[in-house]
């Protein structure tokens, strides 16, 4: 197989032609990241992914993690590759060099992350949560906490997790029961139990740092009374050496449908009354602080789902070109042909292609917006791009993982019966992908976030900024003959989305609020469809310009970009418009049906 994980030419197209990331080097912050350097980084990431992470993916799935008397044993090949990953300083590639990062642009980090996660995202979860824990320390920690923890986390020498969920407090985090009692020395004694903790216990690192949500005794109920604490597996002495075990005990691991290479742990804190944590940030502000890590994790989850889809697409294309089965419909006497010649198989491949390309551009664009926030010279520009990140996060997590799972399902269908067999890679990709629709806030919660919070941010300005950016691409596309017809279809969809957004906003603030939220997920779907169409139109404009000077070998690629746009605007957007009409009608059956009518 020529390529695995991702289509190299498409990654280069998004980075250098669609987004022109080399121009970021004009800013002092990213001065050293010109095109040559960016290509070198992505090549190194690809090599590590293909040569080291991918070969241990199946082994990780088959061996899984095992639990033995409080200890968790990860697949035996993981430790060596984890050390290789950290030696390359990949964990904190976009962070400040002063804390051990490489300071590279986020959009470039997205390209590297696609390869790493596409190769073995259960393995990458250990690094991903460690980075998130480090970001919390960098953003809210005291200078003393930074000195103790930050470089250890960003280097991967220590691991990190995210302790939110409890048996009684899943999506309703405010119902948590973990308690923090303040000690005379300013530390806190922590007691409680947490579940579904990815990477909560393992032996690949010397220490694991747990950011823990807990309620200080006497604090208000609900999320208003939650604080955030750093709770290391081993206490850290003043000189930075490790001290006593900190009474954080793993009581078991989950047996899951997928992501077997990552341990999902239940942890008991302070079972013997000896668990010590230090407050990070302000008292009773823990939920707000943790949202920094949660939003980062949501974007990471979007990347995880997408990476499964990208890899599944690559496998499906390769299989469809090699698998000979049945004759060509219009040439029945010429014998068997590769199944890619059959219209229904090609339909599925083009569906996969269009979504994978649009999702890649969307996730990379969010990374680019993060870079624009850093390099913006005025507050207004910085605020605009920060707002775009906010409103695109539910799409990048919720919509992307929904579509990614569908892409993985199409891959199994292309393989036929072989796709359902574990000897072939697409079965694992489907299983691993499924959790991305659930964790870090189910996709229903992402939809509620879009409707209930993001749509009305800054009195609707953030949503209008998104529409304005899309409108710029439409205006440019109208001047390019090869894509102008598709721009007209895109404009119709955008205008209808704007009208629908106003309707949904008003309905959500009326006595029909429950009806509005019963259509929150369909609203996320149509918003995502329009964002995907935007990215494909942007790609189409870029490809049309590329065709003008393309070499013969590049013609199929550029023409393929325009065909993806043609397919999406001709076959997907009409369905989107129908969905918009359905949402606007706001049928009340969902709200009106009695609970007793659901018979069990």
């Amino acid at each position: 197989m020529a390529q695995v994980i991702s289509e190299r030419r498409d990654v280069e197209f998004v980075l250098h032609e669609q987004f022109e990331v080399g121009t970021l080097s004009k800013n002092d912050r990213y001065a050293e990241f010109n095109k040559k350097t960016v290509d070198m980084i992505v090549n190194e990431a690809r090599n590590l992914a293909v040569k080291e992470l991918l070969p241990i993916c199946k082994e990780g799935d088959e061996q899984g993690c095992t639990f033995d008397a409080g200890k968790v044993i990860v697949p035996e090949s993981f430790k060596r590759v984890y050390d290789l990953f950290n030696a390359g300083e990949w964990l904190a590639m976009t962070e400040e060099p002063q804390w051990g990062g490489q300071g590279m642009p986020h959009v470039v980090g997205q390209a590297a992350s696609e390869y790493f996660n596409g190769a073995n995202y259960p393995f990458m979860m250990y690094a991903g949560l460690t980075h998130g824990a480090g970001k919390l320390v960098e953003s809210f920690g005291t200078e003393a906490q930074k000195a103790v923890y930050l470089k250890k986390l960003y280097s991967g020498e220590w691991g990190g997790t995210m302790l939110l969920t409890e048996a009684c407090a899943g999506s309703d985090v405010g119902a948590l029961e973990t308690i923090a009692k303040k000690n005379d020395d300013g530390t806190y004694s922590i007691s409680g139990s947490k579940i579904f903790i990815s990477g909560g216990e393992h032996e690949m690192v010397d220490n694991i740092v747990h950011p823990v949500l807990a309620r200080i005794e006497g604090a208000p109920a609900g999320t208003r009374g939650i604080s955030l604490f750093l709770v290391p597996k081993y206490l850290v002495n003043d000189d930075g050496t490790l001290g006593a075990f900190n009474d954080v005990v793993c009581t078991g691991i989950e047996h899951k449908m997928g992501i077997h290479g990552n341990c999902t742990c239940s942890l008991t804190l302070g079972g013997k009354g000896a668990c010590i944590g230090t407050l990070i940030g302000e008292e009773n502000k823990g939920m707000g602080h943790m949202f920094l890590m949660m939003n980062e994790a949501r974007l990471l989850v979007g990347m995880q789902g997408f990476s499964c889809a990208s890899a599944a697409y690559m496998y499906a294309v390769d299989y469809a070109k090699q698998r000979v089965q049945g004759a060509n419909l219009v040439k029945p006497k010429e014998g068997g042909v590769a199944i890619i010649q059959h219209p229904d198989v090609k339909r599925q491949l083009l569906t996969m292609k269009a979504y994978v390309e649009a999702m890649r551009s969307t996730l990379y664009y969010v990374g680019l917006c993060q870079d624009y926030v850093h390099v913006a010279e005025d507050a207004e520009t910085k605020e605009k791009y920060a707002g775009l990140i906010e409103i695109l996060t539910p799409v990048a997590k919720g919509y992307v993982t929904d579509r990614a799972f569908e892409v993985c399902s199409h891959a199994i269908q292309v393989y036929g019966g072989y796709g359902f067999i574990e000897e072939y890679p697409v079965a694992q990709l489907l299983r691993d992908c499924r959790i991305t629709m659930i964790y870090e806030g189910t996709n229903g919660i992402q939809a509620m976030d879009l409707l209930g919070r993001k749509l009305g941010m800054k009195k609707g300005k953030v949503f209008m900024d998104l529409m304005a950016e899309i409108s710029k691409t439409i205006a440019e596309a109208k001047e390019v003959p090869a894509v102008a017809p598709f721009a007209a279809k895109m404009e119709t969809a955008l205008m209808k989305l704007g009208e629908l957004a106003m309707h949904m906003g008003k309905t959500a603030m009326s006595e029909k609020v429950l009806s509005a939220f019963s259509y929150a997920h369909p609203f996320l779907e149509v918003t995502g469809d329009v964002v995907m169409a935007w990215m494909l139109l942007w790609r189409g404009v870029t490809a049309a310009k590329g065709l003008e000077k393309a070499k013969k070998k590049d013609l199929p690629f550029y023409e393929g970009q325009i065909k993806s746009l043609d397919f999406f605007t001709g076959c997907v957007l009409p369905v989107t418009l129908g969905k918009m009409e359905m949402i606007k009608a706001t049928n009340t059956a969902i709200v009106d049906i009695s609970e007793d009518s659901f018979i069990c």
Side-chain angles (χ1 to χ4, degrees):
M1 184 173 183
Q3 294 190 70
V4 291
I5 302 172
S6 181
E7 186 181 348
R8 180 173 184 166
R9 180 66 181 87
D10 199 64
V11 171
E12 294 170 348
F13 172 78
V14 176
L15 288 175
H16 297 308
E17 297 180 66
Q18 184 180 15
F19 295 148
E20 300 177 314
V21 300
T23 59
L24 287 170
S25 64
K26 295 177 181 178
N27 186 278
D28 289 344
R29 181 185 180 92
Y30 299 126
E32 62 186 281
F33 295 96
N34 56 27
K35 183 181 184 299
K36 183 178 179 180
T37 303
V38 168
D39 286 341
M40 181 186 70
I41 291 168
V42 177
N43 285 338
E44 288 299 314
R46 181 188 300 113
N47 288 337
L48 181 62
V50 173
K51 293 177 181 178
E52 300 291 350
L53 275 68
L54 186 60
I56 66 171
C57 187
K58 188 172 180 60
E59 177 186 328
D61 183 59
E62 293 176 343
Q63 286 187 2
C65 300
T66 55
F67 176 75
D68 182 18
K71 291 187 176 182
V72 175
I73 299 96
V74 302
E76 56 188 63
S77 59
F78 274 29
K79 170 61 176 171
R80 182 189 68 82
V81 179
Y82 190 74
D83 289 343
L84 274 177
F85 181 83
N86 290 331
E89 299 181 342
W90 292 106
L91 193 150
M93 52 187 161
T94 61
E95 303 309 327
E96 298 286 353
Q98 72 179 99
W99 299 116
Q102 296 191 50
M104 73 174 64
H106 289 80
V107 63
V108 180
Q110 290 288 73
S113 185
E114 176 181 342
Y115 277 104
F116 294 146
N117 283 281
N120 194 338
Y121 105 68
F123 169 87
M124 285 300 300
M125 290 175 70
Y126 296 102
L129 286 166
T130 299
H131 178 270
K135 201 66 183 172
L136 280 178
V137 175
E138 181 182 356
S139 301
F140 303 112
T142 63
E143 292 305 312
Q145 287 171 327
K146 292 178 186 178
V148 170
Y149 294 109
L150 198 47
K151 280 193 175 181
K152 296 285 190 181
L153 288 167
Y154 278 167
S155 69
E157 184 177 343
W158 291 354
T161 64
M162 184 182 189
L163 271 63
L164 284 76
T165 308
E166 301 180 10
C168 62
S171 298
D172 183 12
V173 180
L176 63 78
E177 297 177 348
T178 300
I179 294 296
K181 297 180 181 180
K182 194 166 187 177
N183 301 317
D184 292 340
D185 62 357
T187 64
Y188 291 79
S189 294
I190 311 293
S191 60
S193 296
K194 300 286 184 177
I195 61 171
F196 298 162
I197 309 305
S198 301
E201 168 59 31
H202 57 87
E203 301 294 320
M204 291 196 296
V205 291
D206 297 331
N207 203 5
I208 300 176
V209 181
H210 304 287
V212 179
L213 288 182
R215 196 182 314 279
I216 298 173
E217 285 188 321
T223 55
R224 293 186 305 113
I226 294 177
S227 298
L228 180 62
F229 302 88
L230 285 182
V231 179
K233 175 180 174 180
Y234 293 100
L235 295 172
V236 184
N237 299 319
D238 292 340
D239 62 358
T241 60
L242 297 183
F245 179 68
N246 195 26
D247 198 10
V248 180
V249 178
C250 181
T251 57
I253 59 174
E254 301 297 337
H255 305 283
K256 301 164 297 190
M257 174 180 173
I259 58 171
H260 296 152
N262 190 272
C263 51
T264 305
C265 303
S266 299
L267 298 178
T268 294
L269 297 84
K272 297 181 179 178
C275 180
I276 300 298
T278 55
L279 182 71
I280 179 168
E282 300 179 45
E283 287 188 8
N284 301 333
K285 301 291 185 182
M287 200 64 209
H289 298 336
M290 186 58 91
F291 262 111
L292 177 82
M293 186 174 184
M294 289 173 68
N295 283 330
E296 175 180 315
R298 286 168 176 173
L299 294 174
L300 173 60
V301 171
M303 176 59 74
Q304 291 169 342
F306 160 69
S307 297
C308 290
S310 175
Y313 169 60
M314 297 302 293
Y315 283 122
V317 169
D318 182 64
Y319 184 80
K321 288 183 175 182
Q322 294 189 41
R323 173 66 166 164
V324 175
Q325 194 77 181
N328 186 301
L329 286 175
V330 297
K331 301 175 183 178
K333 296 181 180 180
E334 294 186 6
V337 296
I339 62 173
I340 196 171
Q341 293 190 30
H342 299 317
D344 189 62
V345 173
K346 190 177 281 190
R347 173 190 62 83
Q348 292 183 85
L349 292 173
L350 183 51
T351 301
M352 297 167 76
K353 178 182 187 294
Y355 277 118
V356 165
E357 290 169 352
M359 290 189 290
R360 175 176 293 118
S361 288
T362 300
L363 293 173
Y364 284 28
Y365 180 73
V366 174
L368 188 64
C369 286
Q370 292 174 305
D371 295 324
Y372 287 160
V373 169
H374 286 305
V375 303
E377 297 180 354
D378 61 90
E380 184 178 350
T381 303
K382 189 183 293 286
E383 183 179 318
K384 183 185 85 169
Y385 285 109
L388 288 173
I389 295 167
E390 287 269 14
I391 201 160
L392 286 172
T393 294
V395 175
K397 193 283 183 188
Y399 179 93
V400 164
T401 58
D402 281 343
R403 296 291 89 79
F405 185 73
E406 290 180 13
V407 169
C408 291
S409 183
H410 280 303
I412 287 181
Q413 194 72 13
V414 170
Y415 270 76
Y418 293 114
F420 199 65
I421 296 172
E422 293 292 347
E423 284 83 353
Y424 291 82
V426 289
Q428 181 186 343
L429 288 168
L430 182 82
R431 288 187 289 102
D432 286 351
C433 187
R434 187 58 184 85
I435 186 60
T436 63
M437 301 162 70
I438 298 173
Y439 60 10
E440 304 314 328
T442 66
N443 287 355
I445 287 176
Q446 305 307 313
M448 292 173 68
D449 178 49
L450 176 63
L451 174 60
R453 197 168 77 86
K454 302 297 174 59
L455 193 59
M457 280 183 71
K458 301 185 187 300
K459 299 181 178 180
K461 182 181 182 302
V462 172
F463 188 78
M464 294 303 295
D465 283 344
L466 175 62
M467 291 192 66
E469 291 300 306
I470 298 174
S471 295
K472 289 178 186 177
T473 304
I474 293 172
E476 184 178 2
K478 285 180 176 179
E479 303 301 318
V480 180
V483 296
F486 312 123
K489 295 178 180 180
M490 177 69 212
E491 187 169 43
T492 298
L494 181 64
M495 292 303 101
K496 288 203 71 169
L497 179 64
E499 294 169 7
L500 181 62
M502 290 182 64
H503 165 78
M504 292 296 285
K506 289 178 180 178
T507 307
M509 297 178 66
S510 72
E511 71 280 358
K512 297 180 180 179
V513 58
L514 292 180
S515 292
F517 278 93
S518 67
Y519 290 92
H521 193 275
F523 180 68
L524 173 62
E525 286 186 332
V526 297
T527 303
D529 284 347
V530 171
V531 170
M532 296 300 114
W534 170 35
M535 288 298 161
L536 290 172
L537 183 62
W538 191 344
R539 282 168 158 265
V541 172
T542 307
K545 294 176 181 178
L547 276 170
E548 295 173 1
K549 53 186 177 182
K551 297 178 181 178
K552 186 176 180 179
K553 67 180 179 65
D554 283 327
L555 290 177
F557 174 81
Y558 287 125
E559 290 167 352
Q561 297 302 307
I562 296 175
K563 287 301 179 186
S564 292
L565 171 62
D566 186 358
F567 170 78
F568 201 90
T569 55
C571 300
V572 177
L573 276 190
V575 179
T576 304
L577 297 177
K579 283 184 181 179
M580 289 183 186
E581 291 298 324
M582 175 273 293
I583 297 167
K584 197 171 182 179
T586 321
N587 181 282
T588 61
I590 299 170
V591 173
D592 293 344
I593 187 171
S594 166
E595 293 177 20
D596 294 334
S597 295
F598 296 100
I599 299 169
C600 61

